[in-house]
Amino acid sequence: MSAEPVNGRGVAAVVDLWARRASEAVPSVAVRVHRSGSWTVVEVEGEMDVQVVALVADLVGVDTTRVVFDLQRVTFMDAAGLSAVGGSIRHRAMGAGGSVRLVAPSRSARRLLMLAGCARVFPAFDSLEEAMSAPLGTGSTRSARGR
């Protein structure tokens, strides 16, 4: 499947954020958003925290009804990161008959999803291809849940 631009400028959106505090660099996060068929794919690498929430909401757009979050390379996720996945994007998608799915959540992301009681709310799949090809309403694949 080929990636299509989502930002109307002819390129897929790629954003790298660096925060600096007292001349000490703190870990960054890279967020890549692109279209693949009818799905908007959000790939997050690094720490999924408060700096990601508004960025993801802005990059995904208001008319998106099918979103896949690829969380394989998330090294840390807190409640703010969880709200990026489960907040307004999910409510808009579900309200329009769409879906929000997760691809191979990292151990730290999976732990937060389980502690927050969200593991059953978000279908998780082993691969991007699985997530996008499963019928709407389909639940998690067994191995993605058990990792």
Side-chain angles (χ1 to χ4, degrees):
M1 296 185 186
S2 63
E4 300 170 16
V6 293
N7 63 5
R9 290 178 261 163
V11 296
V14 177
V15 178
D16 289 311
L17 297 177
W18 282 94
R20 295 204 180 269
R21 178 180 35 181
S23 73
E24 175 184 315
V26 294
S28 71
V29 62
V31 178
R32 293 170 189 84
V33 179
H34 61 89
R35 301 264 315 163
S36 184
S38 62
W39 291 90
T40 297
V41 179
V42 180
E43 298 173 358
V44 181
E45 183 176 349
E47 295 189 3
M48 194 164 177
D49 55 18
V50 70
Q51 64 181 338
V52 175
V53 178
L55 176 66
V56 168
D58 186 46
L59 290 174
V60 169
V62 295
D63 59 343
T64 303
T65 59
R66 294 180 180 190
V67 182
V68 177
F69 283 90
D70 185 341
L71 304 178
Q72 296 178 72
R73 291 177 293 281
V74 169
T75 57
F76 170 82
M77 185 178 198
D78 64 7
L82 181 60
S83 74
V85 173
S88 61
I89 293 171
R90 180 178 179 274
H91 294 294
R92 282 193 312 258
M94 299 300 285
S99 182
V100 173
R101 297 177 176 182
L102 308 178
V103 173
S106 66
R107 183 176 182 202
S108 62
R110 191 175 58 251
R111 183 172 188 268
L112 178 63
L113 290 165
M114 288 178 9
L115 289 173
C118 297
R120 296 177 192 220
V121 175
F122 297 104
F125 297 86
D126 290 330
S127 70
L128 190 56
E129 292 75 24
E130 267 185 61
M132 294 186 300
S133 64
L136 292 179
T138 301
S140 302
T141 59
R142 188 171 189 168
S143 57
R145 286 185 293 171
R147 270 192 201 149

